[in-house]
Each structure stands twice: as C-alpha cells, then as structure tokens.
Amino acid sequence: MSTVAVTRLVEAPVAEVWRVFTDLRRRCEWLSTVTEVELMTPGTFGRGTVWRETRTMADGAQITEEFRVRECVVPEKFVVESPGIGADYRMAYTFVPVLEGRHRGGTMVTVVQDGTPTAPAGRFLAFVFGGLAARTVEGALRRDLDDLAAAA
C-alpha cells in the first residue's frame, strides 16, 4: 500500500469550502482537470453517494473513475473509495477551521490517499514506479486543492 497526504490552507470558512467541494454537479466548473461528472445516486452529498468523474491526465489521456462516499461527517470529513485499474484507492478529506492567527476564518484541508494494488501487475508497477507514482498523485492532489482554494 502507498499513502500520499497533502494539506492546503483555503482562505474561506469551513462551510463554504465544504459546499464548494461537495457540490458534485458543479465540479467541472472549478476542478481544472475534470471534464464530466455523472451522478449515480440521487439526493444530497453524504454516505452512499456515488458518482463517476472524467479527468484529463497530464499526458492528455482521459480517465473515468467511480467514487463512493463511505463515511461523511458534515462539514468535517468524508472518505471516498474508488476501484482503479490494478489498484483500489481510498481518499480521506478533512476540513479544519483555522481559529487563531492571521488566517483565522480560513480552512485547512487535508487529503490522504491510500492506494492498494489489487492485481499482480499493480503490485509490480507499485514496486517499480512507487516514488514516481507517489509524486504524480501528490501533484494531482495539490492541483485539486489549489483549484478548490481559487473557487472558495
């Protein structure tokens, strides 16, 4: 298993950051790499919500992934899982209000992504390209949080 964690200060209150991040219908408007979102479940964002998201990768390729919310504590945390090609992913997002200092009123957003190879090829690639894959994932997570900060 590999783990990547990224934290970003967003100069907006927790409620606003949560609203922007969990409004799945509008993800294409603020996530620079997302080109399409398909909601698979009705209702508001919460445990059990499922959606498919199509992204443009750094090499120009398009990839569609399905996400399922496994845990949700509004507006503090949610955990999503996504079956990948050769690996399964789990991402935990936390939203912590900044209560003191010059960034008071802002939000610290942290995402921790765990990847677990599910096939022999996935285990081999994780072994060979582990560091490169982790840097690629970290860059993508940072870009998403930068997009969130700009939108919120």
Side-chain angles (χ1 to χ4, degrees), residues 2-6 55 57-58 65 87 89-91 93 111-115 129-145:
S2 64
T3 300
V4 176
V6 175
R55 289 178 175 256
M57 305 308 285
E65 298 174 292
Y89 300 95
R90 179 183 181 276
M91 291 167 286
Y93 292 86
V111 57
V112 178
Q113 178 175 309
D114 295 313
F129 297 112
L132 175 61
R135 286 189 299 277
T136 300
V137 167
E138 180 181 352
L141 295 174
R142 282 192 190 286
R143 185 174 47 250
D144 285 357
L145 294 184

Side-chain angles (χ1 to χ4, degrees), residues 103-117:
H103 298 291
R104 190 173 88 196
T107 304
M108 292 302 290
V109 181
T110 299
V111 57
V112 178
Q113 178 175 309
D114 295 313
T116 305

